[in-house]
Amino acid sequence: MSMIDTLSHTAGARRELIAFRIGDQEFCVDIMQVREIRGWTACTPLPRTPSYMKGVINLRGAVLPIVDLGARLGLATTEPTARHVIMVVSVGGRTLGLLVEAVSDIINMSDDMVQPTPDVACDQVKTFVKGLFAIDGRMVSLISLDRVLPETEAEAA
Amino acid sequence: MDPFESIKQTFFQECDELLTDAEQGLLAMEAGDADGETINAVFRAVHSVKGGAGAFGLEDLIRFAHVFETVMDDLRSGKMELTDEVAKTLLRAIDVLADHVAAARDGGAVDEGRSAPILSEMKALIGGEGLDDDDLGGDEDFGFVPMTVAIEGDDAPAFDPPALDESPAAFEPMADLAAEPASGARVWRIGFAPKSEMYAKANESGLVLRELARLGEMDVKLDADALPPLDQLSAETAYLHWTVLLTTEADEATIREVFEFVEDDCVLTIEPADGQASPPPPSSDLSDDALAAASADAPLDIAALLARVAGEAPTSEAAREPASAPEPPADLDVAALIAKAQAPIAPAAPKVEAAPVAKAAPPAGSSQAITPTATIRVDLDRVDRLINAVGELVIQQAMLSQQVMESGLARSSNVALGLEDLELLTREIQDSVMAIRAQPVKSVFQRMPRLAREVADMTGKRVKLVMEGEGTEVDKTVIERLTDPITHMLRNAIDHGLEDPEGRIAAGKPAEGVVRLRALHRGGRIVIELQDDGRGINRPRVRGIAVERGLISEDAVLSDEEIDNLIFQPGFSTAETISDISGRGVGMDVVRRSIQGLGGRITISSEPGKGSKFTMSLPLTLAVLDGMVVTAAEQTLVAPLSAIIESLTPRAEDVHFVGGKDAVIRIRETFVPLIDVGVALGFRETALPPGQGVAVLVESEGGGKAALLVEAIQGQRQVVIKSLEANYQQIDGIAAATILGDGRVALILDVDALVTTQHRRKPAPRAEKRMAG
């Protein structure tokens, strides 16, 4: 236990990320946030929710909301097939599922590799993309999941 | 948490239990079916509250409890007669005592206007004998005070043995020792000097002495001469010796038996002391419960000492060190105190046993106290986790069964048979787990006598509250939400239902009104009835108000029952009618709302001049729900059965449109809104054409009716309620979710929200605004 602690401390900025694809773009989130990855199963749609809310599924007895991450990021709406996957992530004490096309890689990187999001991006992207970095000639966007659910809007209303 | 804070919390928890016990004893005394043991039990409860309060220095509480205790003491010694008046005073006093406890816990102050009169009333009962407040300092419970003086200094505090010597009055002779020596009893002098090894083996002198006390009446003297100054104190050494004068019928062997486990680790002398001419001098200012004090107060003293040290002399390292590691007897006593505090059932037991023995002359055999059922306290979260897990198990098991059936295995195959057993087992586990959270409604009911007394006092009425079925069990989540509606209804019953004493006599009834509160199980639900023998509902008046407020039209034909139920209408009652109305109806819509929020129903039946009866019927748990599974816009949805009145197939000619596209349906002679669930939830744009689908007639919490149009009804099912908010958020029109046998999530409709949304354009009663807000 203590050894692991020491390691993560000395490594400091180093961390592992899970990279995944939506359309032709590649994104990643911190691996510590990902609980499990599972195949797509049909959702029960929720009434009166934004279009990126796919609905809810049963995850071993818990009701798990599913977010179409592509639609949430302002890309195209995903038409899920059996090959799509759901990444189960925990965000702020809640558990939710992110619908993505495929999980592509586990990346080991350090924080100094991340470049700030350039100014070209629109607001919606900036809300979620914390930074960019290059790996093996690919560009990967680091995603913040804090505002994936529409709750801040709902709470304000 | 600060360990003292946690001991204190436990003390308050214990107080609640003690006060409840005391109140029940007092109620029995009032009803006239109390024996000596009941009075003793009340005395001990109050004494324990006082003792604990002493340890924490809760002065107001001590003062009040002390007077209370003295009254009880006079009662049990026969000095005072138990009259109806005394019982009533004590009942009010226990309410104030509860207030004192609450004030001590929450840091408030008790209303002197309430406390002082009762205090003087009680003092009048006992003739004010020796109850000046100054007296308290010398009371046997507060022997710790001198000790704190000795240790408070910042400069190398000396643990002053003389101070200790003077202080514990508890160790002085008991008042009534040898006053009535039991026949054939002998007096023994027992010298008991534990060695350090005894404590090292986790024995405790206090327990040994307590055991000794069962043999007869005893007088304990502490010899603390060997106690060195605090800075020389070794935490591992035993310093304290005791000399016990025991009056008992037991022989030496029996006495020696008490010391069986410690005999090798102490210096023990047992000799007859019969030759002694004079019995130990009686001490007049002592409560004769000194025995309980001797065993219980020593730990409290230490606790108080530690509390003081921790709180007041934190700068002195020298003071803190010995305090946190006191010499062995103290350490063990504190351990005993903590153990006592943490095991709520056991704690009272030693005292319960010891006290009567001290009083009753025949020493043997009477120590058989009530053995309470063994219970444990468990964090509610853990139980909830278990319940969730079992809920999942049930679903998983149902899915598995369904899949096995679909796979075409024969019913007689081993797999199918095994699954059947599994199903039985699963159900049994589920029932057992639910039973863990089930609690008797007693916890709600027990607050009601006090409320009844208070409301009766305020309204100048006389009332007798009769409660039945307090042991009826229901899920904890339901219990928590029962208090408000019952409180509300009870208040109403006394305030508006019962006549004043003169009015009752004029009506040929006894001056004292009777309110019955009853709980029972019926058909998998809990039913709570509240019945009064008051004047009943004044129907012409209710009708008049309803017309006035536009709830019904002037020429509406209503049955008596329908009129009675008008009082549940939101907007029926308003503030200015409260004192006006000769019936009830104050905030009954609120009661109804909270009952329906629990998936229950409330009805009233009333007979003019004879009284009214409210009947609430509630589900036993909020974890499962009886639902009707329906299909709307290809989605499977669940409607709570409690809201459903009936379902019917609408004929096209019964469906009419009001204005643009607001449909109504004619059901018998009334028109109710027809709500297409698929459209209302935004699953589709256009409603089903008239004449198609199934209409489910529902009643919202506000009492409004509506027909929900769905495509089909799949059937009734009990479903496990799953929160949507846990991982997502609330959705308008959806109450919660559940998981069906096929493993898919189905949404549970919020009937009230659906109906209310539809009504939004109507002149909204306040209640609906509250719903929306």
Side-chain angles (χ1 to χ4, degrees):
Chain A
M1 190 65 210
S2 64
M3 207 171 78
I4 295 168
D5 277 352
T6 338
L7 276 180
S8 65
H9 268 287
T10 47
R14 285 208 82 78
R15 51 181 171 161
E16 282 189 316
L17 304 168
I18 282 199
F20 51 90
R21 274 190 301 110
I22 300 173
D24 51 3
Q25 298 192 30
E26 206 169 356
F27 301 88
C28 63
V29 294
D30 195 309
I31 202 165
M32 298 308 286
Q33 284 188 296
V34 180
R35 290 289 180 80
E36 63 180 279
I37 294 163
R38 49 192 292 128
W40 166 255
T41 44
C43 282
T44 301
L46 294 172
R48 303 196 183 105
T49 46
S51 57
Y52 55 80
M53 286 303 305
K54 279 289 176 193
V56 286
I57 62 164
N58 164 23
L59 180 72
R60 291 184 299 279
V63 176
L64 189 77
I66 304 297
V67 175
D68 178 351
L69 194 58
R72 185 62 174 138
L73 295 176
L75 312 172
T77 311
T78 314
E79 280 309 320
T81 66
R83 280 174 297 136
H84 283 79
V85 294
I86 292 171
M87 292 197 333
V88 180
V89 296
S90 69
V91 184
R94 296 179 174 201
T95 309
L96 57 115
L98 301 176
L99 170 62
V100 300
E101 221 166 271
V103 171
S104 51
D105 202 357
I106 292 176
I107 301 168
N108 202 320
M109 53 86 75
S110 65
D111 274 353
D112 51 18
M113 291 163 66
V114 182
Q115 303 164 20
T117 318
D119 249 356
V120 293
C122 70
D123 284 349
Q124 193 171 9
V125 170
K126 268 187 168 169
T127 309
F128 302 106
V129 178
K130 276 195 291 198
L132 306 172
F133 60 91
I135 196 153
D136 302 338
R138 298 171 289 157
M139 186 193 80
V140 182
S141 312
L142 182 60
I143 303 258
S144 154
L145 297 175
D146 296 344
R147 269 176 276 181
V148 162
L149 283 183
E151 59 198 323
T152 41
E153 299 158 30
E155 273 164 18
Chain B
M1 199 199 284
D2 170 11
F4 275 98
E5 200 46 42
S6 96
I7 293 178
K8 203 168 168 181
Q9 287 312 316
T10 317
F11 162 66
F12 285 126
Q13 273 174 21
E14 220 177 298
C15 269
D16 286 345
E17 287 162 18
L18 290 167
L19 288 171
T20 309
D21 292 348
E23 187 179 5
Q24 275 169 354
L26 288 173
L27 284 170
M29 283 162 64
E30 191 197 18
D33 47 1
D35 52 13
E37 186 42 42
T38 316
I39 298 175
N40 272 331
V42 176
F43 171 82
R44 286 193 301 269
V46 176
H47 177 80
S48 303
V49 170
K50 185 180 90 166
F56 298 109
L58 306 168
E59 297 296 338
D60 287 352
L61 181 53
I62 296 167
R63 200 163 294 130
F64 193 88
H66 182 63
V67 179
F68 200 138
E69 183 189 14
T70 313
V71 178
M72 290 311 303
D73 193 32
D74 282 2
L75 275 176
R76 69 173 190 163
S77 64
K79 257 205 264 178
M80 190 193 298
E81 208 180 324
L82 177 61
T83 61
D84 198 34
E85 192 194 337
V86 172
K88 283 202 162 30
T89 304
L90 289 178
L91 271 170
R92 291 215 309 272
I94 197 85
D95 294 345
V96 176
L97 186 62
D99 288 348
H100 274 288
V101 170
R105 178 184 50 214
D106 308 332
V110 174
D111 179 10
E112 270 304 305
R114 256 175 72 83
S115 171
I118 305 246
L119 201 59
S120 40
E121 231 175 282
M122 286 198 296
K123 280 184 178 165
L125 285 177
I126 44 178
E129 42 173 62
L131 277 172
D132 301 332
D133 292 347
D134 313 340
D135 230 32
L136 288 168
D139 190 278
E140 86 276 12
D141 277 330
F142 313 112
F144 63 86
V145 176
M147 290 174 73
T148 60
V149 175
I151 204 161
E152 254 172 338
D154 271 2
D155 51 341
F159 199 83
D160 194 358
L164 188 62
D165 236 358
E166 288 160 19
S167 61
F171 295 122
E172 278 176 28
M174 290 166 51
D176 50 359
L177 172 76
E180 304 162 285
S183 57
R186 296 185 65 186
V187 182
W188 296 86
R189 181 194 301 280
I190 302 160
F192 176 41
K195 298 180 197 163
S196 307
E197 292 80 22
M198 190 191 107
Y199 296 112
K201 290 177 186 168
N203 288 302
E204 196 201 328
S205 42
L207 289 177
V208 174
L209 289 174
R210 205 175 288 177
E211 193 60 38
L212 201 56
R214 294 178 192 232
L215 295 177
E217 303 202 4
M218 71 172 194
D219 164 31
V220 185
K221 272 208 172 72
L222 168 68
D223 176 7
D225 287 350
L227 205 60
L230 195 52
D231 51 358
Q232 294 166 26
L233 191 92
S234 154
E236 305 276 300
T237 313
Y239 297 105
L240 302 178
H241 302 167
W242 287 271
T243 309
V244 181
L245 279 179
L246 179 69
T247 311
T248 177
E249 286 178 343
D251 57 9
E252 186 176 336
T254 316
I255 298 173
R256 205 165 276 280
E257 220 168 74
V258 172
F259 295 94
E260 191 181 350
F261 296 108
V262 298
E263 210 173 344
D264 295 341
D265 298 321
C266 70
V267 180
L268 181 67
T269 56
I270 300 178
E271 55 188 27
D274 287 333
Q276 258 198 342
S278 58
S283 142
S284 60
D285 61 341
L286 273 181
S287 149
D288 50 1
D289 201 34
L291 180 69
S295 56
D297 287 357
L300 292 183
D301 289 352
I302 303 294
L305 175 68
L306 287 175
R308 295 281 178 134
V309 171
E312 292 173 18
T315 45
S316 163
E317 210 46 52
R320 197 158 36 181
E321 237 175 56
S324 54
E327 55 113 3
D331 197 8
L332 289 166
D333 280 347
V334 171
L337 175 71
I338 294 169
K340 166 178 173 283
Q342 286 175 345
I345 316 296
K351 275 195 238 166
V352 168
E353 290 168 2
V357 177
K359 282 305 290 178
S366 56
S367 60
Q368 303 306 320
I370 329 97
T371 45
T373 345
T375 56
I376 54 165
R377 288 193 180 200
V378 181
D379 195 348
L380 192 59
D381 280 350
R382 294 192 189 181
V383 178
D384 286 347
R385 267 205 314 264
L386 181 62
I387 287 181
N388 281 338
V390 171
E392 285 159 34
L393 177 68
V394 170
I395 293 164
Q396 204 66 41
Q397 180 269 327
M399 283 166 59
L400 200 56
S401 296
Q402 194 168 336
Q403 280 160 14
V404 168
M405 284 300 133
E406 283 165 6
S407 72
L409 271 175
R411 274 181 183 277
S412 57
S413 68
N414 282 341
V415 174
L417 291 176
L419 268 177
E420 246 168 61
D421 287 347
L422 179 66
E423 186 178 343
L424 287 176
L425 210 54
T426 314
R427 297 245 170 264
E428 200 177 314
I429 294 174
Q430 193 182 24
D431 288 348
S432 310
V433 166
M434 287 300 186
I436 294 180
R437 257 202 341 194
Q439 289 189 327
V441 289
K442 193 176 165 190
S443 60
V444 176
F445 275 26
Q446 71 194 16
R447 301 180 209 180
M448 297 305 150
R450 173 179 184 172
L451 180 79
R453 287 195 293 277
E454 283 177 356
V455 177
D457 271 357
M458 273 190 295
T459 54
K461 291 176 184 173
R462 292 184 53 194
V463 60
K464 182 182 165 80
L465 179 66
V466 181
M467 299 194 292
E468 287 169 45
E470 291 115 307
T472 312
E473 289 194 332
V474 66
D475 192 270
K476 186 176 166 54
T477 46
V478 178
I479 289 223
E480 281 161 0
R481 292 160 73 179
L482 271 180
T483 311
D484 281 353
I486 296 183
T487 305
H488 211 107
M489 279 165 47
L490 180 63
R491 200 176 282 149
N492 257 287
I494 298 171
D495 190 12
H496 301 284
L498 293 182
E499 310 92 333
D500 50 25
E502 296 81 43
R504 289 183 63 87
I505 290 167
K509 301 183 198 175
E512 190 175 57
V514 178
V515 176
R516 280 178 198 281
L517 182 60
R518 203 155 89 98
L520 60 149
H521 278 150
R522 189 186 289 156
R525 292 169 78 84
I526 182 170
V527 175
I528 291 170
E529 294 174 350
L530 188 87
Q531 186 171 20
D532 65 61
D533 65 347
R535 52 171 81 89
I537 283 188
N538 183 341
R539 295 199 178 108
R541 183 91 178 97
V542 167
R543 196 193 156 92
I545 290 173
V547 172
E548 205 176 289
R549 303 202 181 281
L551 297 173
I552 53 170
S553 64
E554 211 160 320
D555 51 358
V557 183
L558 296 175
S559 66
D560 286 351
E561 197 193 337
E562 280 171 313
I563 294 178
D564 290 349
N565 281 291
L566 281 175
I567 64 166
F568 291 118
Q569 289 294 326
F572 173 82
S573 61
T574 63
E576 58 270 23
T577 60
I578 288 179
S579 52
D580 217 6
I581 180 168
S582 58
R584 338 161 164 249
V586 178
M588 275 300 161
D589 60 317
V590 179
V591 172
R592 179 189 175 102
R593 184 179 314 283
S594 49
I595 298 290
Q596 287 184 328
L598 291 169
R601 286 183 168 270
I602 180 167
T603 54
I604 179 175
S605 61
S606 173
E607 205 174 327
K610 295 247 178 92
S612 318
K613 177 159 113 178
F614 286 89
T615 308
M616 296 186 261
S617 144
L618 294 158
L620 291 178
T621 169
L622 297 182
V624 294
L625 171 118
D626 284 314
M628 174 101 75
V629 183
V630 299
T631 313
E634 289 157 22
Q635 299 302 318
T636 303
L637 301 162
V638 179
L641 213 53
S642 62
I644 297 175
I645 301 169
E646 60 178 320
S647 55
L648 47 116
T649 316
R651 289 176 302 176
E653 61 264 36
D654 287 337
V655 178
H656 304 270
F657 288 89
V658 182
K661 48 177 192 168
D662 289 342
V664 293
I665 181 170
R666 189 168 65 102
I667 296 176
R668 287 178 284 279
E669 290 318 306
T670 55
F671 290 97
V672 297
L674 183 64
I675 302 165
D676 187 295
V677 174
V679 176
L681 292 181
F683 285 143
R684 65 170 168 231
E685 289 295 312
T686 50
L688 283 174
Q692 277 192 24
V694 183
V696 179
L697 185 64
V698 294
E699 187 175 24
S700 76
E701 289 177 8
K705 287 179 187 169
L708 301 182
L709 187 62
V710 297
E711 272 131 84
I713 290 179
Q714 295 181 18
Q716 285 179 21
R717 197 166 306 169
Q718 200 172 57
V719 297
V720 179
I721 297 174
K722 296 281 174 184
S723 159
L724 268 179
E725 286 93 342
N727 287 323
Y728 188 55
Q729 60 195 27
Q730 203 175 353
I731 297 172
D732 201 24
I734 301 297
T738 187
I739 295 165
L740 295 179
D742 60 1
R744 291 202 54 178
V745 178
L747 302 175
I748 300 173
L749 294 174
D750 181 348
V751 167
D752 199 49
L754 282 175
V755 174
T756 321
T757 314
Q758 208 68 15
H759 281 216
R760 212 165 258 164
R761 277 152 289 155
K762 294 201 170 179
R766 287 157 305 145
E768 289 190 358
K769 274 187 204 143
R770 227 176 295 144
M771 284 305 298

